[in-house]
Amino acid sequence: MPNFTAHDGTRLAYHVIGDGDPLICLPGGPMQASAYLGDLGGLSRHRQLIKLDLRGTGESAVPDDPATYRCDRLVADVEALREHLGLDRMDVLGHSGGTNLTVRYVERHPERVGRLALITPSAMAVGITVSGDLRRETALLRRDEPWFPAAYEALESIVAGRATADAWQAIVPFAYGRWDEATRRHQALEDVQRNDEAAAVYGSEGAFDPDETRRGLATFRRPVLLLAGECDLNSPPRAVREFAELFPDVRFDIQPGSGHYPWLHDAERFVKTVRAFLG
């Protein structure tokens, strides 16, 4: 497994899949091993995917200082990866919670980023919140699914501030464009791939400075893609569109019928969209 040393001495691993120009892939979770990205629906046939296991996840070592799990401090790990690979400028793809790290990296190192793809992004780093009403509206797109009644009831409990472990489990199908054996297997791996201790630190106090990040993105002149899933409860299209408006040179797209993992719902459509953007 290829690896490198972060500036604080922590050994970090990354996975290389495919051929072509490199595409740095930053996973979400937050703090989930990059394995869940797979080959991004076959994107590896067109680009060399370099999937970073963030510190404390996957094959990467646990740091001596848990405070280094904080999102803003992980920026140094991404920069260390770039230096290790010898890239003057790199294309970057961030997914879900990993997009917070991605935009904080862009904010600090804009000259090191070529094309930027943000897939079903979390927008915590730029201060965009998703209302309960918007989540309900998005959830209703799935009203014909057999699991919908129990899942929607659980969602109502969560929105009302009565979240339980069972409620969170009940709404899991909303994350996927379809709920079948393949997506059940994908979801079942989350518990073993995610570092919950690290996730608790990732967005802790000081991790985000929305005003500063927004100023950085407003001056980033390279091409940007924001891809939303039509049915994504976590990152509804309306919120992703608001995120897209922060960039000067941006393409916004919605993948029909997709949830939070668009490469699992319609791999062909996903790859076509991302490949056309990346060139």
Side-chain angles (χ1 to χ4, degrees):
M1 183 62 56
N3 59 80
F4 63 101
T5 304
H7 297 304
D8 66 348
T10 305
R11 297 296 292 176
L12 302 179
Y14 59 97
H15 306 258
V16 180
I17 305 176
D19 299 306
D21 293 334
L23 175 65
I24 308 303
C25 302
L26 302 180
M31 303 307 289
Q32 186 170 343
S34 66
Y36 82 94
L37 295 171
D39 67 351
L40 287 172
L43 186 61
S44 61
R45 292 193 293 271
H46 310 284
R47 297 293 295 262
Q48 182 183 73
L49 308 183
I50 298 176
K51 305 188 303 178
L52 176 63
D53 279 343
L54 301 177
R55 54 180 55 215
T57 72
E59 302 295 326
S60 289
V62 172
D64 292 333
D65 181 3
T68 61
Y69 288 136
R70 205 174 71 181
C71 181
D72 60 317
R73 299 185 67 176
L74 293 173
V75 168
D77 291 350
V78 180
E79 177 62 0
L81 174 61
R82 182 197 65 79
E83 293 172 349
H84 166 75
L85 296 172
L87 298 174
D88 180 63
R89 178 180 286 172
M90 57 190 185
D91 293 340
V92 183
L93 179 149
H95 173 246
S96 185
T99 59
N100 295 304
L101 171 57
T102 305
V103 296
R104 295 237 64 182
Y105 181 83
V106 171
E107 170 198 339
R108 296 186 184 180
H109 302 283
E111 75 286 355
R112 298 303 187 184
V113 179
R115 290 179 176 264
L116 178 66
L118 303 180
I119 309 301
T120 56
S122 164
M124 292 176 64
V126 293
I128 294 173
T129 58
V130 180
S131 70
D133 286 343
L134 180 53
R135 294 193 198 278
R136 291 189 189 95
E137 177 185 325
T138 307
L140 287 170
L141 296 173
R142 312 295 296 279
R143 61 169 62 91
D144 294 331
E145 302 282 353
W147 47 263
F148 177 83
Y152 192 78
E153 182 180 356
L155 175 63
E156 289 281 22
S157 296
I158 293 169
V159 171
R162 301 190 305 272
T164 65
D166 287 344
W168 285 114
Q169 186 61 36
I171 68 167
V172 164
F174 282 124
Y176 294 89
R178 61 177 183 275
W179 189 233
D180 56 18
E181 285 303 314
T183 52
R184 285 185 178 92
R185 288 194 299 270
H186 186 268
Q187 194 279 326
L189 293 172
E190 181 174 327
D191 288 342
V192 297
Q193 291 176 344
R194 177 170 162 166
N195 183 330
D196 289 332
E197 177 191 4
V201 177
Y202 183 82
S204 58
E205 185 176 358
F208 306 127
D209 184 344
D211 291 340
E212 187 67 22
T213 301
R214 283 171 174 255
R215 283 192 289 270
L217 301 185
T219 59
F220 181 66
R221 301 293 176 181
R222 303 292 297 174
V224 181
L225 167 69
L226 277 86
L227 177 63
E230 179 186 20
C231 305
D232 185 7
L233 207 65
N234 185 79
S235 308
R238 194 185 307 167
V240 178
R241 184 185 296 275
E242 183 180 349
F243 196 168
E245 292 171 355
L246 302 178
F247 294 93
D249 183 0
V250 67
R251 173 182 173 184
F252 170 70
D253 198 10
I254 301 173
Q255 184 162 310
S258 178
H260 200 52
Y261 306 92
W263 64 91
L264 295 179
H265 177 71
D266 186 343
E268 183 178 357
R269 171 67 181 260
F270 174 79
V271 171
K272 181 179 180 181
T273 300
V274 178
R275 185 186 180 194
F277 167 73
L278 293 174

